[in-house]
Amino acid sequence: MSTTDTNRDRQTGEPGWLLVTRREVVSRITDKSFLIGTALMVVMLVGFIGFTAWQDERTSDYDLAATPDAVAMATAVADNASAIDDKVSVKLVEVADEDAAKAALRDEDVDAWLHPTDDGWQLTSESSEQDSLTTVVEGVVRQQVLTENATAAGSSVEQLEAGSTVSTDFLRGDAERASVAEAVGFVFVFLFYFAALIFGMQLASSVIEEKQSRIVEIIAAAIPLRHLLAGKVLGNTALAVVQLLVYVAVGLVGLSFTSYKSYVPALSGPTVWFIAFFLAGFVALACLWAVAGSLASRTEDLQATSTPLTMLMLAMFFGGLSLDGRGQVIASFIPPVSAVVMPKRILAGGVDWWEPLVALGLLAVFAAITVMVGERLYRRALLQTGGRVTLRQAWSSAE
């Protein structure tokens, strides 16, 4: 903080933490790297959503070769392809014989060749399998053969398939939301990890810079160190939340232009919960990053002082992605992992109304305790410049 800021504080009576918060916000939003990074992330997000929308609307056209003995089956495939996959269109190409079919494949005049074998049917392609076409052909051939066999046996396909349907269900939530929850849950976990890591590293680095240059001694003479910590944490939290809101808004708006637009209203509630959990969890981690910076006396020390915090964040990241079942339920109430696990459970559905409230309350208590403990460590380590400070030294040293 400059002398001008100090004088302004004395003249206006503005609390020191507010001045520091303003300085953190202004310095970051005028930083080209921050703006460019945010813009690039938005462009990537828009590009991904645009690509997804394009893929959803895109129809795959296939040319299917068939010799005279396979024309009837290939015709059935062409006529019924859209019933199995509305994004697949099949055009029949009749060829004289096997050699002609292979020549058409080599010349890339057709995408695949359908022909009978001793025990069924075979779909031959030039060098790589056509996944969508294979799925359609398998479905049509199965239906055609079942119909023929049922007729020969004096029965019907419906009678043969009676009682063979297998459906899925969930004790908590439903199957339709499960796949959406998995994808959006990954985005939530990634955004939390990304923001906490990037903003945390920058916060810790700014603490080290002020400590190494001895500017912090001038600041300490003007405002209490707890105000300095509060300003840094609040400033970075505000920036992280604003950036998160930009990403979420772009994501929801973009999603409304895809085939998943029907899920947008259902995602709004869980998104609000995620922002609330993000806020509480980020405050706690931001305070710990400030402590990591205060324990170091130079930039090279940050890797050592931040290792426990980095391991904690990795545990949150992989725990948020991999936990399921009872383990996920338990973790959704344990701070700080609950910051990423409970929003995923809310997305999947089947969560009682009180569970997010309890989890958020526990996370808020954890954040409050972290801030109190972190404030003590920060104050007692910040002005020690004789080398790297251990947690024990910071906790027991005199102020």
Side-chain angles (χ1 to χ4, degrees):
M1 179 179 294
S2 65
T3 306
T4 303
D5 287 333
T6 303
N7 293 335
R8 184 179 180 185
D9 181 43
R10 291 171 178 171
Q11 292 169 4
T12 63
E14 249 184 340
W17 64 266
L18 186 58
L19 289 174
V20 177
T21 301
R22 184 184 301 119
R23 183 194 65 173
E24 290 289 320
V25 172
V26 172
S27 65
R28 291 298 301 281
I29 63 176
T30 55
D31 182 14
K32 288 184 179 180
S33 61
F34 173 75
L35 297 176
I36 292 174
T38 302
L40 285 176
M41 181 65 76
V42 170
V43 169
M44 290 174 60
L45 187 59
V46 171
F48 175 77
I49 294 175
F51 177 77
T52 302
W54 175 72
Q55 283 286 84
D56 288 341
E57 297 299 324
R58 180 188 177 193
T59 299
S60 299
D61 298 318
Y62 295 99
D63 291 325
L64 181 63
T67 50
D69 57 349
V71 168
M73 183 63 77
T75 300
V77 171
D79 293 341
N80 296 284
S82 59
I84 296 178
D85 188 340
D86 58 0
K87 303 301 180 185
V88 173
S89 174
V90 178
K91 177 183 176 182
L92 171 62
V93 177
E94 296 187 35
V95 293
D97 51 32
E98 179 179 331
D99 292 336
K102 292 180 179 179
L105 282 174
R106 293 191 189 98
D107 296 338
E108 298 184 355
D109 294 329
V110 297
D111 298 293
W113 164 39
L114 180 65
H115 54 101
T117 61
D118 294 337
D119 57 352
W121 292 83
Q122 184 171 316
L123 188 66
T124 302
S125 54
E126 202 277 324
S127 60
S128 60
E129 184 173 343
Q130 312 292 334
D131 293 334
S132 299
L133 179 60
T134 301
T135 301
V136 167
V137 171
E138 287 176 345
V140 174
V141 169
R142 178 180 180 277
Q143 188 66 27
Q144 291 293 115
V145 172
L146 276 177
T147 301
E148 294 173 2
N149 292 343
T151 301
S155 182
S156 67
V157 175
E158 290 74 15
Q159 290 175 326
L160 291 178
E161 292 184 334
S164 64
T165 302
V166 177
S167 60
T168 59
D169 193 13
F170 290 79
L171 289 178
R172 304 176 69 87
D174 57 73
E176 187 178 33
R177 293 184 62 178
S179 58
V180 178
E182 190 68 26
V184 179
F186 172 81
V187 174
F188 281 177
V189 174
F190 175 78
L191 285 177
F192 186 97
Y193 176 78
F194 177 79
L197 183 63
I198 298 299
F199 281 95
M201 289 291 292
Q202 291 173 345
L203 192 158
S205 297
S206 70
V207 172
I208 295 174
E209 289 173 5
E210 292 173 349
K211 182 176 180 179
Q212 197 170 9
S213 63
R214 311 298 287 265
I215 292 177
V216 69
E217 297 177 10
I218 301 175
I219 299 175
I223 63 173
L225 290 180
R226 60 173 58 91
H227 283 220
L228 178 60
L229 174 63
K232 285 184 172 295
V233 171
L234 291 175
N236 281 273
T237 300
L239 287 166
V241 171
V242 169
Q243 192 180 68
L244 175 68
L245 290 175
V246 171
Y247 296 155
V248 168
V250 171
L252 291 178
V253 172
L255 204 62
S256 65
F257 290 96
T258 70
S259 60
Y260 302 101
K261 59 185 177 182
S262 60
Y263 294 112
V264 172
L267 290 175
S268 301
T271 299
V272 173
W273 277 112
F274 170 66
I275 294 172
F277 276 91
F278 177 90
L279 182 61
F282 186 88
V283 167
L285 292 179
C287 187
L288 294 178
W289 275 111
V291 171
S294 68
L295 294 174
S297 293
R298 52 181 186 161
T299 305
E300 291 79 2
D301 295 333
L302 181 59
Q303 182 176 359
T305 59
S306 64
T307 295
L309 182 54
T310 304
M311 297 301 293
L312 173 62
M313 290 181 58
L314 285 174
M316 292 177 63
F317 180 75
F318 289 109
L321 295 181
S322 61
L323 287 173
D324 57 9
R326 187 175 297 276
Q328 186 184 60
V329 173
I330 295 173
S332 66
F333 293 98
I334 301 177
V337 183
S338 57
V340 292
V341 176
M342 181 55 81
K344 281 192 64 177
R345 289 190 58 213
I346 297 172
L347 276 169
V351 177
D352 294 329
W353 65 269
W354 56 267
E355 293 185 70
L357 294 175
V358 171
L360 185 58
L362 292 173
L363 183 60
V365 171
F366 171 81
I369 295 174
T370 302
V371 169
M372 288 188 293
V373 173
E375 184 265 344
R376 171 169 174 160
L377 293 170
Y378 177 83
R379 283 189 293 107
R380 298 187 177 201
L382 191 61
L383 297 180
Q384 297 188 39
T385 58
R388 196 172 71 211
V389 183
T390 65
L391 287 172
R392 178 177 296 181
Q393 291 171 337
W395 183 262
S396 59
S397 64
E399 297 188 44

